[in-house]
Amino acid sequence: MFEVANNHRSIRSYRSDPIDGALLSDLLHTGLRSSSSGNMQTWSVIVTRDTAAKRQLFQAHRKQQMILEAPVVLTFCADVFRMREWIRVHDSKQSFDDLLGFLTGAVDAVIAAQTICLAAESVGLGICYMGTTWWAADRLIELFELPKHVFPVTSVVMGYPAESPKLRDRLPLELLVHHERYRRLSDAELREYHSERERNAWARYTAIASIREQLERDGIRRITDYYTSKYKYSKALHTEVSEMLIKTLQAQGLWL
Ligand SMILES: Cc1cc2nc3c(=O)[nH]c(=O)nc-3n(C[C@H](O)[C@H](O)[C@H](O)COP(=O)(O)O)c2cc1C
């Protein structure tokens, strides 16, 4: 477990070899063992292998090439629909059609996703999560015909790696672990702890002349500018997606 987890890297380039059906089934069964809130297992996963369906996902996820290469795409959903249906057939009092129900399902879904990812990596498969799941939530609901009270939370592409990238850097553990109470970093610590990441990331982005010129034109001078620019996680994008998510959660009966 330690070796698998400590060697994790996201894979974005895949061989065309399929994942054997029995292996995929074993991986999904491993997900079933994950902890879940009240053992309700308020999650579902949509398995996409069909080429035409993957093409639709490719469009929905802002054309991430790895979707077309990887033999399998897994879309993990918060799912309180199944629980509510069970309650309904027994005429019990309903619940879960609210934000807490959604968050309960979302946490269950992500825990199951990570269990499956670690199991996949342990047998030499590669994986990459896709945050574009949030950005495409409304479209994914349509594509997968998700009933009310089901909501896509995260997606994973999976397959045999066609690349062996280096381990990505990480912030030091002491920034993420707090003992007994939260410790805020001073400005000097913030600069010091991020300096290597700033240098490496900036060198990576500016190594390509066309990108360097584009960044200069847009007044992007450091990596933090880049993170909140139109190329990454701008406030405009966040506002647009947040508004869509609230509207879609409302439509799916998962708000308040
Ligand atoms: C929730 C989540 C969403 C992510 N979304 C994307 C994505 O849309 N596209 C992508 O190429 N990588 C995506 N990643 C992968 C991250 O970029 C990657 O985990 C991070 O850069 C660290 O690299 P590593 O996983 O290789 O260590 C995502 C990862 C997570 C956990």
Side-chain angles (χ1 to χ4, degrees):
M1 267 305 302
F2 279 97
E3 200 181 313
V4 171
N6 284 316
N7 279 297
H8 159 77
R9 64 213 67 190
S10 295
I11 299 297
R12 299 183 177 84
S13 177
Y14 291 91
R15 305 204 317 247
S16 57
D17 313 48
I19 299 177
D20 175 65
L23 172 59
L24 184 59
S25 169
D26 283 350
L27 293 173
L28 296 169
H29 267 102
T30 304
L32 200 62
R33 268 287 118 217
S34 302
S35 296
S36 73
S37 192
N39 203 19
M40 292 185 293
Q41 299 177 270
T42 51
W43 61 277
S44 280
V45 60
I46 317 282
V47 181
T48 307
R49 281 185 283 193
D50 177 70
T51 307
K54 279 203 293 163
R55 193 147 268 292
Q56 289 180 311
L57 289 185
F58 168 71
Q59 293 296 341
H61 284 278
R62 311 220 175 176
K63 305 194 175 168
Q64 299 206 55
Q65 183 66 25
M66 58 191 175
I67 295 176
L68 301 178
E69 291 181 17
V72 169
V73 181
L74 301 175
T75 306
F76 291 88
C77 303
D79 181 355
V80 291
F81 173 67
R82 188 191 321 109
M83 186 71 195
R84 284 175 54 87
E85 286 288 273
W86 182 36
I87 291 168
R88 181 184 58 76
V89 296
H90 289 298
D91 271 334
S92 299
K93 272 193 203 148
Q94 270 302 356
S95 187
F96 306 110
D97 53 340
D98 44 40
L99 184 63
L100 181 58
F102 163 65
L103 290 173
T104 302
V107 171
D108 284 357
V110 170
I111 291 171
Q114 185 59 11
T115 303
I116 292 169
C117 285
L118 283 170
E121 290 179 320
S122 79
V123 293
L125 286 161
I127 63 98
C128 189
Y129 281 90
M130 290 189 292
T132 39
T133 310
W134 291 130
W135 308 2
D138 47 359
R139 180 70 184 128
L140 296 176
I141 288 167
E142 216 176 273
L143 284 176
F144 296 132
E145 300 175 17
L146 301 183
K148 259 182 113 165
H149 309 120
V150 182
F151 205 93
V153 169
T154 195
S155 313
V156 171
V157 294
M158 186 184 284
Y160 291 97
E163 63 170 353
S164 182
K166 282 207 221 106
L167 288 179
R168 288 285 305 271
D169 65 304
R170 292 293 191 260
L171 294 169
L173 191 64
E174 60 262 36
L175 262 64
L176 282 74
V177 178
H178 306 261
H179 293 282
E180 315 310 336
R181 62 172 63 89
Y182 195 95
R183 185 177 83 84
R184 289 171 189 244
L185 298 174
S186 67
D187 287 7
E189 285 174 312
L190 281 167
R191 286 180 196 282
E192 185 195 321
Y193 279 123
H194 289 90
S195 65
E196 195 182 328
R197 164 169 292 201
E198 287 170 19
R199 259 197 321 276
N200 292 344
W202 192 246
R204 214 174 45 246
Y205 289 129
T206 53
I208 302 162
S210 59
I211 297 181
R212 189 171 57 242
E213 284 156 22
Q214 186 67 51
L215 296 183
E216 272 166 23
R217 266 199 299 279
D218 292 331
I220 296 169
R221 288 188 191 82
R222 52 188 81 80
I223 202 67
T224 46
D225 292 343
Y226 184 68
Y227 267 104
T228 51
S229 75
K230 63 183 177 188
Y231 301 110
K232 277 280 213 194
Y233 310 110
S234 71
K235 188 63 193 164
L237 170 74
H238 270 246
T239 303
E240 182 195 322
V241 176
S242 298
E243 284 171 358
M244 178 275 285
L245 284 174
I246 291 173
K247 240 172 61 194
T248 312
L249 282 167
Q250 276 167 343
Q252 289 300 94
L254 292 166
W255 189 251
L256 260 170

